Amino acid sequence: MSTPFDRFEELAPAPDRLGDLVAPVADALRRWSGPVPAAEVRYVETDPAVADTAAFVERYGSGLLDVSANCVIVAAKRGGETSLAACLVPSAARADVNGAVRRQLGARKVSFAPMDTAVGLTGMEYGGITPVGLPADWPVLVDASLLDLEQVLIGSGRRVGKLIVPGKAFAQLPGAVVVPGLASRPQG
């Protein structure tokens, strides 16, 4: 049975490719624990020129859109304080920032974090931010639909390379909060 991941020639267990990952992601894989072993997380090197979703699926296959997710960093404001969180949503959808995200974080206002803030505080490259290896005190909101996927393609912390993670593993990430309806599909 073929999968959208068959297009990648060299899939390797991510723990065998720690040198290809940014420090926070490599450290998270070293400390990985839970029912899904770290060896089930795979790494594949990809072209950094097509790291963004639309270009990526055009280059590597449209079937990947249904089995990939994007991680975005949001800033939540409440009572004069700002806190950061991550949202992991299917690539074909958008984080419902003004609805589900705001309610889950108990914030008055939520917006996407500025790029320099997201990159600076995660230690990851813009366009490659992943939920693996984020600061331990950040909530990681995960759209519940991702847990039903056998494998999900996500960023690796760099624009070069992607991780392929069993969907059920997202629930075991530090700070993970599984949220039904976190993502909304664009109309049209």
Side-chain angles (χ1 to χ4, degrees):
M1 183 168 144
S2 66
T3 74
F5 304 111
D6 293 342
R7 178 141 192 178
F8 301 118
E9 294 177 16
E10 294 187 35
L11 287 173
D16 294 348
R17 300 292 297 268
L18 296 179
D20 294 318
L21 301 169
V22 295
V25 177
D27 291 344
L29 286 167
R30 283 187 196 96
R31 293 188 314 272
W32 188 274
S33 65
V36 177
E40 289 187 27
V41 176
R42 303 281 183 207
Y43 173 83
V44 60
E45 193 164 308
T46 57
D47 181 352
V50 295
D52 296 325
T53 302
F56 190 86
V57 298
E58 183 177 325
R59 167 82 174 274
Y60 292 105
S62 60
L64 290 167
L65 187 61
D66 295 330
V67 292
S68 62
N70 291 327
C71 184
V72 295
I73 307 303
V74 296
K77 296 179 182 179
R78 174 186 32 197
E81 304 228 350
T82 300
S83 60
L84 297 174
C87 299
L88 186 67
V89 297
S91 292
R94 294 191 171 136
D96 181 11
V97 174
N98 295 315
V101 175
R102 186 180 59 75
R103 283 189 301 275
Q104 184 64 43
L105 297 175
R108 180 180 47 79
K109 180 180 178 186
V110 176
S111 58
F112 294 105
M115 180 178 66
D116 59 336
T117 299
V119 170
L121 295 178
T122 63
M124 300 178 198
E125 294 177 6
Y126 186 74
I129 293 177
T130 181
V132 178
L134 291 173
D137 59 337
W138 288 12
V140 178
L141 308 182
V142 178
D143 187 84
S145 68
L146 295 171
L147 274 61
D148 296 331
L149 297 176
E150 187 175 329
Q151 296 180 328
V152 182
L153 182 92
I154 60 172
S156 68
R158 298 177 59 211
R159 288 183 67 86
V160 173
K162 299 285 187 184
L163 298 177
I164 299 171
V165 180
K168 61 187 175 186
F170 295 127
Q172 74 187 48
L173 291 175
V177 179
V178 177
V179 182
L182 182 67
S184 62
R185 301 248 175 213
Q187 301 297 317

